[in-house]
Amino acid sequence: MKAIWVIGATLVLMDFISGMSETNAHDPVINSKFKNGRGFPVFHGNITEGSRVVQLDQPLKATDEDTVGGARFICGYRLISPRKNIPFTVELLDRTTGEAQLKVADGRKVSFEKRKRYKFSVIAYDCGQPARESNRAVIFVRVEDVDRFAPTFDKPDYVVDLEEDRLYDPLFTLHAHDKDRTKEFKQICEYELETPNVPFSVDRNGNIRNTQKVYYQDRHNFILKIIARDCGGRQSKAVFINVIVREKCKPQWTNFPDHLQYLAGSGKQRVAPKAILRWCDDTCTPDQVTLQMKLATSHIGKGCDRDTYSISSQRKLCGANDHGIDLLPSPSLTSSWTRFLPTDDGKESDQVFYFDGENNAVEVPENVFNHTLHKHFSIMMWMKHEHSEIKDKKYPKEHILCMSDGDNMNRHHYSLFVHGDKLVLLVRREASDASDMEVFRPAEWRWKISEINQRDEWHHYAISMNFPHVQLFVDGNLVIPSDDNSEVVDDWPLHKSNKVHDTKLIVGACWEGGHHKFNHYFRGYLAGLSILKGKTESERVIRCLNNCQENLDFSALSAMHSGTTVSFNREMTDFRIQSKNISEVQALLREVHYINSRKFPTPGRRNLTVSTAIHCGSVETFLPKVDSYILVRPAATPSITLRGHPSLSANEDRLKAGLRIFEDINISVDFAVERTGGKVNHILGKDEVRDGNSDIELGKEEKLQLKLERKKAKQDTTSKVSDAQLILLDMCTVKADPPLDLYHERLELPTSIMNEFNMKIEGTQTSEGLVISNADNIEDYILVLRGILYVHEKDKPFTGRSFHLSCSSQNGRFISNTMDIKIMKVQEENNVILPLRAQQAVQHIQLPSVSGTGNMAVGAASPNVGMVAIIVVCVGFLLFMIILGVIRIRAAHRRTQVVQVEPEMEWDNEMNLIVNPMDEETHPLHVFDYDEGVGKSMRDDSDSEDDCSSYHEDEEDSSDEETVPKKELEWDNEL
């Protein structure tokens, strides 16, 4: 091993020595196909970003002419450049051939964006000792760009405004940029819209256009998604553009709500609190601005949400004369002649009757209204006339009211009818004597008024006659007579005739007695037809009957400036503003309110329209009409409940004197909103379209009302009484079952009480029962009902009877439950057969009723011997106890006592025995009823209020049991 190391070291030393001694005669030479002007070889190369090796146009290599030693080899290359940080290096591949490659140095990289070209020199050196260097070669390296960066937009999103009804070219120019430096990669060659089905496009330059006109009412905005691509095909991230469609500036109202929800009892509500009036013409200052707002209520009731009480109740509430007669009342027990007339289906307004103009009319019974009219009277009605077709070039006569001969003749004594566009009143008086037959006097009054034939519109008509002067009021306004609108025709008086035996008063047509048929039928709707005879109604009452309880309201008069006027129509459903200032009109409109003062308004929709005209110079501009509506929500529904004992008992004497059948009646009212599954089930107007399966969610106002109702429900009885005062009853019906035999029985009203307290209530009786009518508070109705007497004469046996009571409010819109009362006869008294001693002592035995309560019935002796024996034993024991008690009482007091048997003395199934053991003579007891004074004296003599109250409680607890008056115990002073 040691020898090997010695040999190796010797060889190396010999080689080194030989090298030191060899010659290096030639320099290496770098050759190239190209030389520059100075004769240096030139190389051109390219390198792509991210690559490591430079691709030269020819191989880089150096040669050396030396043939021996290390000088014949190329040992390497060295870069020469005046600049620093040259990122290249030359790697020798073969030292024999001198071939090398140019590459990026380790840890370095080239970037086109930093430097596009490089120029530097290289030299080669051989392996000789000392080494010799070659000539200098110049290398040019061009860096080739790579599409490294995607395009980017200036912002991640954009917002662009677009005015409606315009085509833009362009609407907006989008710009994207690229960080690449080469033209190919930094240039954006394409923009692409990725949002489908939109009326927009984008070109390669980023110009966005709308391909068709767009409108604000169709769509308020568009979201566009766009990408960009550079010429190298690299794609950007998407950018979003929000294109907001702006309304074209035109004169109009904006921020006007499309509807307003109104909750019953919420008071006044602003119609448009944020409305803005836009006027786009800055070059012209308006001379005058005119605004008109109309509230449509023609479809609600009779053209407005008025009181829904009957016409007689409305007359009472307005302070009208008490003697007015309703000729078209709602059908009831006492007014049945309108029963077969077609009516409206709802209960939201007064009863409305339809006349078809062909075959329906009604006769007013003479016992309801005496047919004759004198020099003073008033006729009032609501009418919606349906225009009739012309026949034989003439308008037909359509009689609203007609009194004519009942037989043999066709004379019209008085009538009210429609003839074309005229309303005609005919009054033919009868002559008082022969001289009066020659007097020609006014007999026919004609008014030509436009309201007669206005389709689908209700109007109120009132005619006041103070012969020969007549006044006509239409919708509460007096019609001023003139040659154009009124005419008076004179005529002879009627002759007295023995041919006519009676007359007929017809509503909806006229009776021709000579032909025995109806003629001149009326076509349209009538309601509230009434006649006041002998007097005329005041203008104040006529206006009150026509009042509307829903309207627009304006109270900002103090905010008006000079030159501005505000006006309403009489119903306050038509509001007008005139001003020179747009901002003032806008401010005044915001102060307009809607109000419905009815406690239970008719739910549904009321259309609201606003028309505006602006005068500017000689040009008048009409703004687009604003259509909105007010949706009235239903109020809490009142539930009327009648409570009282279902049965009464009385003997024949009491029935003859009169029995108060509703003495303990109570009427209560509760309010509740109809709920379904946590939602309110609203009632909508007829023109309100909705899905029958859908419910409306509770709004803030409704939630507040429900909260108040829950709070109200938790309050004490006093608050519930105040609830009852919120509504008025207008009818209670007492129906007899079976019908009354008026020869032997009747119902009597407490007329003295009604007159004393000046109540509005009236009563009418037939064999079917009793009807109490007219609007009044619940307390007054209770007072009247408690005073109603049922009277039955003794000449016909009484076997029992039933009455059915029900009450209603607002003309039958809210109906109570039906309370049934059954009246039973008290059994007659019979003496029990007792031994002689018992007969002398016992005056009366009071047996319990079948039900076993405290109300006793008079017992009848039974033929059963066992029962008689039991009674005898019991009576004997009771006699012993009573005698013992009397002895002790006399010993203590030594004076006469009146004793009432206490409940503790009841025995054997609550049997009461009332006797006078001191009286040796048997004589009939005198029976006292509480109503006849004994009960009163006993209560007055009692020192305890509890005794009195317990008596009443016992009486209230009775239901189907028979009752008898209690007896007074008489004791003889001598035992």
Side-chain angles (χ1 to χ4, degrees):
M1 188 60 134
K2 194 175 199 178
I4 294 174
W5 280 102
V6 171
I7 294 172
T10 303
L11 291 175
V12 171
L13 181 60
M14 291 176 62
D15 186 67
F16 175 74
I17 294 171
S18 63
M20 293 289 293
S21 60
E22 69 181 18
T23 61
N24 189 357
H26 302 282
D27 294 329
V29 177
I30 299 175
N31 295 313
S32 174
K33 297 178 182 179
F34 309 102
K35 295 181 184 279
N36 61 9
R38 298 172 61 184
F40 295 115
V42 176
F43 294 86
H44 295 276
N46 297 307
I47 185 170
T48 304
E49 289 180 313
S51 300
R52 303 295 298 171
V53 179
V54 179
Q55 302 297 325
L56 296 175
D57 58 347
Q58 52 188 317
L60 175 62
K61 59 182 179 179
T63 61
D64 197 314
E65 292 182 359
D66 291 312
T67 57
V68 294
R72 70 178 184 270
F73 300 108
I74 302 299
C75 270
Y77 291 84
R78 186 169 65 251
L79 271 64
I80 301 172
S81 174
R83 296 185 179 183
K84 297 179 179 180
N85 296 324
I86 299 298
F88 298 100
T89 183
V90 179
E91 180 181 347
L92 180 65
L93 300 178
D94 188 347
R95 68 176 189 169
T96 302
T97 61
E99 186 175 355
Q101 73 175 5
L102 185 63
K103 60 185 299 186
V104 179
D106 292 340
R108 306 293 299 276
K109 61 181 180 180
V110 294
S111 172
F112 181 83
E113 287 73 25
K114 291 183 178 180
R115 191 168 177 180
K116 299 178 182 179
R117 291 180 178 85
Y118 292 90
K119 178 184 176 183
F120 53 89
S121 300
V122 295
I123 60 173
Y125 55 91
D126 59 20
C127 296
Q129 293 297 330
R132 296 178 69 102
E133 294 180 347
S134 68
N135 58 329
R136 184 163 59 95
V138 180
I139 298 177
F140 295 93
V141 177
R142 183 168 65 88
V143 180
E144 293 183 355
D145 191 17
V146 175
D147 194 1
R148 293 192 303 138
F149 299 99
T152 57
F153 292 96
D154 298 336
K155 297 179 181 180
D157 52 69
Y158 297 85
V159 178
V160 181
D161 287 347
L162 179 148
E163 188 180 82
E164 65 176 352
D165 196 26
R166 278 187 60 185
L167 289 174
Y168 287 83
D169 188 21
L171 170 64
F172 178 71
T173 300
L174 197 62
H175 180 261
H177 60 275
D178 198 311
K179 292 182 179 180
D180 292 310
R181 299 296 296 273
T182 59
K183 182 178 180 181
E184 179 183 4
F185 298 141
K186 75 176 181 180
Q187 186 174 351
I188 307 299
C189 287
E190 182 183 11
Y191 292 89
E192 181 179 346
L193 176 63
E194 293 191 335
T195 306
N197 304 321
V198 289
F200 293 91
S201 65
V202 58
D203 61 16
R204 61 178 300 171
N205 296 319
N207 296 316
I208 300 174
R209 299 177 177 85
N210 55 320
T211 57
Q212 65 186 44
K213 295 180 180 180
V214 295
Y215 297 92
Y216 179 81
Q217 62 181 4
D218 299 330
R219 192 163 175 178
H220 295 351
N221 74 315
F222 295 87
I223 304 296
L224 306 181
K225 180 182 180 182
I226 297 178
I227 60 171
R229 290 190 182 91
D230 59 21
C231 295
R234 191 123 184 189
Q235 179 177 303
S236 70
K237 291 182 180 180
V239 68
F240 293 92
I241 302 176
N242 184 9
V243 180
I244 298 176
V245 181
R246 302 292 184 188
E247 286 186 281
K248 187 177 182 179
C249 187
K250 55 185 177 182
Q252 63 177 348
W253 284 99
T254 61
N255 291 348
F256 202 105
D258 59 351
H259 76 281
L260 169 69
Q261 294 196 31
Y262 185 85
L263 195 65
S266 59
K268 298 191 298 184
Q269 264 187 262
R270 281 186 171 88
V271 173
K274 298 180 181 179
I276 298 174
L277 179 55
R278 296 176 60 185
W279 175 247
C280 299
D281 191 355
D282 298 332
T283 62
C284 181
T285 301
D287 303 324
Q288 181 174 293
V289 181
T290 303
L291 178 142
Q292 181 181 22
M293 177 183 289
K294 284 187 176 182
L295 177 68
T297 60
S298 59
H299 62 293
I300 305 296
K302 298 186 299 297
C304 168
D305 214 359
R306 292 180 169 86
D307 269 327
T308 57
Y309 297 104
S310 64
I311 185 62
S312 59
S313 294
Q314 292 183 45
R315 288 175 55 82
K316 297 288 183 181
L317 294 174
C318 286
N321 192 288
D322 295 340
H323 297 94
I325 303 298
D326 186 4
L327 302 185
L328 286 176
S330 299
S332 67
L333 289 178
T334 58
S335 55
S336 59
W337 66 91
T338 60
R339 182 168 299 168
F340 300 106
L341 282 177
T343 64
D344 62 335
D345 295 329
K347 290 286 187 181
E348 306 300 335
S349 60
D350 300 351
Q351 192 74 71
V352 173
F353 298 93
Y354 177 68
F355 296 85
D356 59 13
E358 296 179 358
N359 53 27
N360 66 332
V362 292
E363 179 181 357
V364 180
E366 192 165 4
N367 62 345
V368 173
F369 178 75
N370 187 300
H371 294 173
T372 59
L373 285 181
H374 300 290
K375 294 183 178 181
H376 306 282
F377 61 85
S378 288
I379 301 176
M380 290 184 289
M381 64 178 177
W382 285 95
M383 180 176 70
K384 182 168 68 172
H385 179 235
E386 292 184 354
H387 192 64
S388 300
E389 298 179 358
I390 299 177
K391 297 180 180 180
D392 300 328
K393 299 182 180 180
K394 292 182 179 180
Y395 287 106
K397 292 182 178 181
E398 301 175 63
H399 278 76
I400 301 166
L401 182 68
C402 178
M403 197 275 272
S404 58
D405 294 331
D407 55 359
N408 297 323
M409 299 184 72
N410 299 324
R411 298 179 305 171
H412 296 182
H413 295 256
Y414 61 83
S415 62
L416 179 64
F417 59 91
V418 174
H419 191 200
D421 58 352
K422 295 184 179 71
L423 181 65
V424 182
L425 173 67
L426 171 70
V427 180
R428 297 287 306 279
R429 60 184 181 85
E430 292 186 359
S432 58
D433 51 35
S435 61
D436 196 21
M437 287 296 302
E438 306 301 326
V439 179
F440 207 52
R441 292 185 177 176
E444 190 171 317
W445 292 261
R446 303 170 181 172
W447 295 275
K448 184 177 182 180
I449 49 180
S450 60
E451 289 82 359
I452 288 293
N453 292 310
Q454 288 180 350
R455 291 184 179 273
D456 298 325
E457 289 194 18
W458 282 96
H459 294 284
H460 184 262
Y461 301 87
I463 297 174
S464 291
M465 165 69 79
N466 288 296
F467 189 84
H469 303 291
V470 179
Q471 288 181 314
L472 171 66
F473 296 86
V474 178
D475 296 331
N477 299 315
L478 177 64
V479 176
I480 306 301
S482 65
D483 294 338
D484 297 329
N485 65 5
S486 63
E487 180 183 6
V488 180
V489 179
D490 296 338
D491 203 348
W492 305 104
L494 292 176
H495 293 73
K496 292 186 178 180
S497 175
N498 295 327
K499 296 181 180 180
V500 179
H501 302 92
D502 64 343
T503 58
K504 289 184 180 295
L505 178 60
I506 307 298
V507 177
C510 198
W511 173 256
E512 294 183 350
H515 300 146
H516 297 283
K517 68 173 186 177
F518 290 100
N519 201 358
H520 307 305
Y521 286 95
F522 172 77
R523 183 177 180 182
Y525 297 86
L526 293 175
L529 177 61
S530 66
I531 294 182
L532 173 62
K533 184 167 65 173
K535 299 179 181 180
T536 58
E537 203 61 84
S538 68
E539 186 174 347
R540 178 192 60 81
V541 171
I542 294 173
R543 287 184 177 274
C544 176
L545 291 173
N546 194 60
N547 280 341
C548 182
Q549 296 205 34
E550 67 170 341
N551 53 265
L552 300 174
D553 182 74
F554 177 79
S555 57
L557 296 176
S558 59
M560 295 171 52
H561 297 95
S562 176
T564 300
T565 60
V566 172
S567 62
F568 274 102
N569 64 341
R570 202 183 74 83
E571 291 79 16
M572 296 190 72
T573 57
D574 190 335
F575 175 63
R576 294 172 182 267
I577 303 175
Q578 280 191 345
S579 178
K580 297 180 180 180
N581 193 324
I582 287 180
S583 61
E584 184 172 5
V585 172
Q586 174 181 290
L588 295 179
L589 177 68
R590 294 179 179 182
E591 296 300 322
V592 179
H593 297 75
Y594 170 80
I595 185 171
N596 195 319
S597 57
R598 281 187 58 191
K599 175 63 180 175
F600 306 102
T602 304
R605 172 173 173 161
R606 279 79 160 152
N607 290 333
L608 188 71
T609 59
V610 177
S611 302
T612 310
I614 298 179
H615 249 295
C616 191
S618 60
V619 179
E620 185 175 18
T621 303
F622 293 93
L623 275 60
K625 186 172 68 173
V626 177
D627 291 315
S628 181
Y629 66 91
I630 298 170
L631 184 61
V632 178
R633 297 293 189 187
T637 303
S639 175
I640 306 171
T641 305
L642 310 181
R643 293 185 179 89
H645 287 311
S647 65
L648 296 174
S649 300
N651 57 21
E652 289 188 356
D653 290 335
R654 190 174 182 186
L655 289 173
K656 183 176 180 180
L659 176 66
R660 296 188 178 186
I661 56 178
F662 303 115
E663 188 172 12
D664 61 347
I665 183 71
N666 280 299
I667 303 176
S668 62
V669 178
D670 295 319
F671 292 88
V673 174
E674 185 179 354
R675 307 277 313 268
T676 304
K679 299 177 181 179
V680 175
N681 185 13
H682 292 280
I683 306 169
L684 302 178
K686 294 181 180 179
D687 55 352
E688 180 85 8
V689 180
R690 76 164 194 173
D691 184 1
N693 297 325
S694 64
D695 290 320
I696 303 174
E697 292 288 346
L698 286 174
K700 292 182 179 179
E701 299 87 353
E702 292 161 331
K703 290 179 180 177
L704 177 60
Q705 179 165 331
L706 287 175
K707 184 177 180 181
L708 293 175
E709 287 166 0
R710 294 191 189 102
K711 182 177 180 181
K712 186 184 297 182
K714 295 179 181 179
Q715 293 175 350
D716 56 9
T717 308
T718 304
S719 65
K720 294 182 179 179
V721 173
S722 64
D723 285 343
Q725 296 173 353
L726 296 176
I727 70 170
L728 302 177
L729 296 181
D730 58 6
M731 181 176 290
C732 282
T733 302
V734 182
K735 186 176 181 180
D737 182 19
L740 296 169
D741 184 353
L742 297 180
Y743 291 102
H744 304 282
E745 55 185 345
R746 66 185 182 276
L747 293 172
E748 293 182 356
L749 279 171
T751 54
S752 59
I753 296 178
M754 296 164 63
N755 294 334
E756 179 182 355
F757 292 99
N758 193 25
M759 297 177 181
K760 303 181 180 69
I761 300 173
E762 295 178 354
T764 307
Q765 182 181 185
T766 66
S767 61
E768 296 292 329
L770 180 67
V771 174
I772 307 172
S773 59
N774 290 332
D776 211 321
N777 60 59
I778 290 178
E779 288 77 7
D780 287 351
Y781 262 88
I782 291 176
L783 196 60
V784 172
L785 288 171
R786 288 180 177 176
I788 294 177
L789 296 177
Y790 169 67
V791 179
H792 185 276
E793 303 293 344
K794 274 190 173 182
D795 53 353
K796 183 178 181 179
F798 178 79
T799 58
R801 94 156 19 262
S802 297
F803 291 100
H804 310 290
L805 172 66
S806 62
C807 297
S808 66
S809 177
Q810 297 201 9
N811 207 28
R813 183 178 179 185
F814 307 118
I815 302 176
S816 74
N817 63 310
T818 300
M819 191 180 78
D820 300 323
I821 298 290
K822 185 177 182 181
I823 302 177
M824 296 177 292
K825 181 182 177 182
V826 174
Q827 298 180 13
E828 296 294 337
E829 298 179 1
N830 291 312
N831 291 329
V832 180
I833 302 175
L834 297 174
L836 180 60
R837 186 174 178 181
Q839 290 184 20
Q840 294 175 350
V842 179
Q843 286 189 340
H844 182 68
I845 301 176
Q846 198 172 30
L847 297 176
S849 64
V850 177
S851 62
T853 63
N855 291 324
M856 303 300 171
V858 178
S862 173
N864 190 295
V865 177
M867 180 62 69
V868 172
I870 293 174
I871 293 175
V872 170
V873 173
C874 295
V875 170
F877 176 75
L878 183 60
L879 285 173
F880 172 75
M881 296 298 295
I882 292 175
I883 292 171
L884 181 61
V886 170
I887 293 173
R888 295 178 65 182
I889 292 172
R890 287 181 59 85
H893 300 284
R894 300 290 182 181
R895 60 186 177 86
T896 303
Q897 296 289 334
V898 177
V899 180
Q900 180 178 0
V901 178
E902 297 296 334
E904 289 81 358
M905 299 183 67
E906 297 178 2
W907 58 278
D908 193 9
N909 196 22
E910 299 181 28
M911 178 180 293
N912 292 343
L913 302 180
I914 306 172
V915 298
N916 186 353
M918 300 297 105
D919 193 354
E920 296 297 331
E921 295 182 2
T922 59
H923 59 275
L925 284 172
H926 177 65
V927 180
F928 292 91
D929 191 281
Y930 277 96
D931 293 336
E932 295 173 355
V934 173
K936 184 176 185 300
S937 63
M938 290 178 66
R939 290 192 295 270
D940 291 342
D941 294 339
S942 173
D943 294 331
S944 171
E945 294 181 358
D946 296 335
D947 294 339
C948 180
S949 62
S950 64
Y951 161 75
H952 286 290
E953 289 172 2
D954 291 340
E955 205 173 46
E956 289 178 357
D957 291 337
S958 65
S959 56
D960 296 327
E961 299 82 13
E962 295 182 353
T963 61
V964 296
K966 298 192 176 181
K967 308 298 186 295
E968 184 181 81
L969 296 179
E970 297 179 358
W971 300 84
D972 193 86
N973 291 335
E974 300 294 334
L975 181 60

